[in-house]
Amino acid sequence: MEVKIKKIKDGILPAYKREGDVCMDCYSREFVIVPAFGRKLVPLGFALELPFGYEAVIRPRSGNTREGIDIGIGTIDTNYRGEVMACVCNTLDEDFRIEEGDRICQLAI
């Protein structure tokens, strides 16, 4: 299967961390503060072109989820060509800082 991927601005392309991983790690393209008990869209710095009939799914990282930071699971359809974003949900009673280049979610195709 061929998936076309394009880096946006100074983004980091998603990558498998270890051999055998099913999901690729995705990184924040910019600094974002997610307010306490709030949510924010975080740009991931890439766009995809998937083959017809496939989807990509944004998923949370278990390490963040254990700490109270979750990701709204999202589908990227075959016809979407914009920058992929993650909806970061903060269940903590304090703001959550995401630095540019932080590993924030996973991508499964």
Side-chain angles (χ1 to χ4, degrees):
M1 170 178 55
E2 182 178 322
V3 175
K4 294 180 183 175
I5 188 164
K6 176 177 84 171
K7 185 161 59 164
I8 296 177
K9 297 185 182 175
D10 293 328
I12 300 170
L13 293 178
Y16 294 103
K17 187 168 184 175
R18 291 180 294 270
E19 186 177 339
D21 283 352
V22 175
C23 295
M24 292 176 268
D25 290 329
C26 298
Y27 304 85
S28 175
R29 184 175 58 78
E30 60 187 37
F31 171 76
V32 176
I33 294 179
V34 184
F37 304 112
R39 63 183 64 213
K40 281 269 188 161
L41 285 177
V42 177
L44 299 179
F46 66 92
L48 298 172
E49 185 177 328
L50 298 164
F52 184 78
Y54 285 85
E55 73 168 333
V57 180
I58 296 294
R59 295 183 178 168
R61 293 184 63 240
S62 56
N64 286 349
T65 302
R66 278 193 306 269
E67 301 299 320
I69 303 302
D70 207 354
I71 300 293
I73 294 174
T75 293
I76 298 107
D77 289 310
T78 57
N79 62 348
Y80 181 70
R81 296 293 182 267
E83 182 172 11
V84 177
M85 312 254 283
C87 181
V88 179
C89 306
N90 181 358
T91 66
L92 305 171
D93 61 0
E94 59 189 38
D95 292 350
F96 180 69
R97 295 172 54 95
I98 300 171
E99 301 292 335
E100 180 180 334
D102 280 355
R103 207 168 28 142
I104 199 67
C105 63
Q106 299 182 85
L107 177 74
I109 298 175

